[in-house]
């Protein structure tokens, strides 16, 4: 690529002319990223950035094993599921081996949105009910059907509000939720807030919908809600919520698109942390390490009830290249011990961040599971008023130090840490030192 083709001003102008204005760019001065390796991205001038944002590059950017698997299979065959092929079956076997027994029928798709859209269709067909329940601030995908069940979107900029067929349950956020009370001291949320008031809230939402003649057929949730700001629900909530949903006649759908595939370290899937059992699990982002690959896994009973004669055909879903890539990703996670590394690096982050919380009043809460972490920034610890501008300034400041971070949550005040699982101890320590400097400078 010529230097001219990499000129930021020129790229921006071309992008504005040719691409939709709804596409966003990170940072005041957008980056031109041309290469990735491990936990690092590189710009057009060869400058390296530690990537704490892109959870899709689960086993590291451009992992040679994954690249080689894709190239090898791409040179042989790329076609659809209407022919027999061993790779899709090998991958389905490998994927179900990571899940609790009973979740054993697989459909492969091409994105998290396709996975959730398919789960929605399944639940509606199986239960004969159209209405859906989801959690406050939830995000489940970009199709019109999924925007309709995503408060993050329909209550956000450009949204047209909650559709009558969507029922929203309060977010079980131990720090800022409606039952957090006086709440925990900074960085110490775990175990201090009870699940049952939030379960009662969900039950009330489901009962109200049924009493209104619109019983709910599907309950969607992330076991650690990400767009809500890396919230970790109180113990007992996820398992209880799935039971409450089932008792109301709905299917419980665990959206593992963002949190799944070993990111939480202790388990393959975030719902397992609370011993929960969903009816359907949806997966995306990390499965193909960047290659478009998603999956829906359910029980034989749900899958058979769904198969009512209407074919499910997906042109690209389940092609042998995707299956080869999915297998390579699982191989790397296992061979490089990446779940254990997620646990170790996550614990190192939490220890460092909590130490910072002891010195920086702007840190209101530190939370997360494995390498899915959130740092809540506040203007005032007593009122917990969100420090939205500070979070944006820290994200920009970290960029100047060569570290990519993002901010999310209802008030964009939560710094999100969800890097490739191959991050090193030195990367963690450097991040903590940089945050220490930035908070001293900016707060
Ligand atoms: C929790 C969750 N579900 C679903 C999706 C949609 O996935 P995709 O962007 O691959 O369609 C996302 C994407 O950000 C997500 O975070």
């Amino acid at each position: 690529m010529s230097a001219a083709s990499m000129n930021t001003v020129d790229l921006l102008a071309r992008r504005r002319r040719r691409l939709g204005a709804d596409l966003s760019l990170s940072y005041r001065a957008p980056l031109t990223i041309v290469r990735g390796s491990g936990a690092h991205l590189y710009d057009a001038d060869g400058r390296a950035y530690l990537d704490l944002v892109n959870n899709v590059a689960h086993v590291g950017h451009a992992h040679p094993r994954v690249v080689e698997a894709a190239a090898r299979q791409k040179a042989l065959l790329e076609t659809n599921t209407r022919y027999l092929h061993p790779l899709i079956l090998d991958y389905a076997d490998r994927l179900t081996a990571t899940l609790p027994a009973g979740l054993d029928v697989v459909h492969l798709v091409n994105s998290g949105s396709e996975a959730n859209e398919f789960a929605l269709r399944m639940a509606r067909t199986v239960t004969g009910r159209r209405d859906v329940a989801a959690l406050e601030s939830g995000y489940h995908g970009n199709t019109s059907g999924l925007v309709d069940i995503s408060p993050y979107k329909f209550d956000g900029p450009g949204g047209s509000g909650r559709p009558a067929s969507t029922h929203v349950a309060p977010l079980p956020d131990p720090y800022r939720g409606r039952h957090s009370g006086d709440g925990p001291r900074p960085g110490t949320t775990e175990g201090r807030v009870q699940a049952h008031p939030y379960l009662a809230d969900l039950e009330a939402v489901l009962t109200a919908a049924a009493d209104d003649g619109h019983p709910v057929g599907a309950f969607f949730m992330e076991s650690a809600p990400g767009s809500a700001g890396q919230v970790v629900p109180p113990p007992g909530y996820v398992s209880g919520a799935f039971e409450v949903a089932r008792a109301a006649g709905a299917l419980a759908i665990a959206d593992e698109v963002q949190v799944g595939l070993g990111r939480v370290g202790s388990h393959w899937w975030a719902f397992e942390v609370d011993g929960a059992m969903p009816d359907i699990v949806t997966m995306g982002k990390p499965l193909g390490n960047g290659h478009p690959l998603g999956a829906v896994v359910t029980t034989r009973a749900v899958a058979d009830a769904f198969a009512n004669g209407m074919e499910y055909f997906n042109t690209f879903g389940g092609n042998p290249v995707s299956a080869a890539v999915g297998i390579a990703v699982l191989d790397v996670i296992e061979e490089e011990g990446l779940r254990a590394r997620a646990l170790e690096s996550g614990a190192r982050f939490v220890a460092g961040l909590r130490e910072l919380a002891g010195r920086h009043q702007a840190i209101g809460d530190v939370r997360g599971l494995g390498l899915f972490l959130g740092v809540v920034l506040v203007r005032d610890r007593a009122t917990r008023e969100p420090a939205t501008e500070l979070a944006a300034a820290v994200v920009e400041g970290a960029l100047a130090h060569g570290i990519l971070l993002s901010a999310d949550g209802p008030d964009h005040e939560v710094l999100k840490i969800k890097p490739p699982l191959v991050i090193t101890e030195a990367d963690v320590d450097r991040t903590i030192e940089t945050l220490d400097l930035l908070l001293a400078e900016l707060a």
Side-chain angles (χ1 to χ4, degrees), residues 52-53 226 229-230 353 356 362-363 365-367 372-377 387-396 398 404-409 412-418 431 435 438-439:
L52 303 181
V53 175
Q230 317 289 84
L353 292 166
L356 289 189
I363 297 182
D365 192 20
V366 174
R367 62 214 187 179
F372 191 72
L373 300 166
V375 184
V376 185
L377 298 184
T388 306
E389 297 78 18
L390 175 62
V394 170
V395 169
E396 289 286 342
L404 306 185
L405 276 171
S406 61
D408 208 345
H412 293 273
E413 84 290 24
V414 184
L415 300 175
K416 290 175 88 162
I417 298 176
K418 47 186 174 63
T431 304
L435 286 175
L438 290 172
L439 288 171

Side-chain angles (χ1 to χ4, degrees), residues 110-114 116 139-142 222 255 257-258 284-285:
N110 308 293
S111 68
S113 295
E114 276 197 1
N116 280 330
Y139 175 65
H140 299 291
N142 59 30
E222 284 187 279
D255 180 339
V257 169
Q258 182 143 195
K285 295 183 190 286

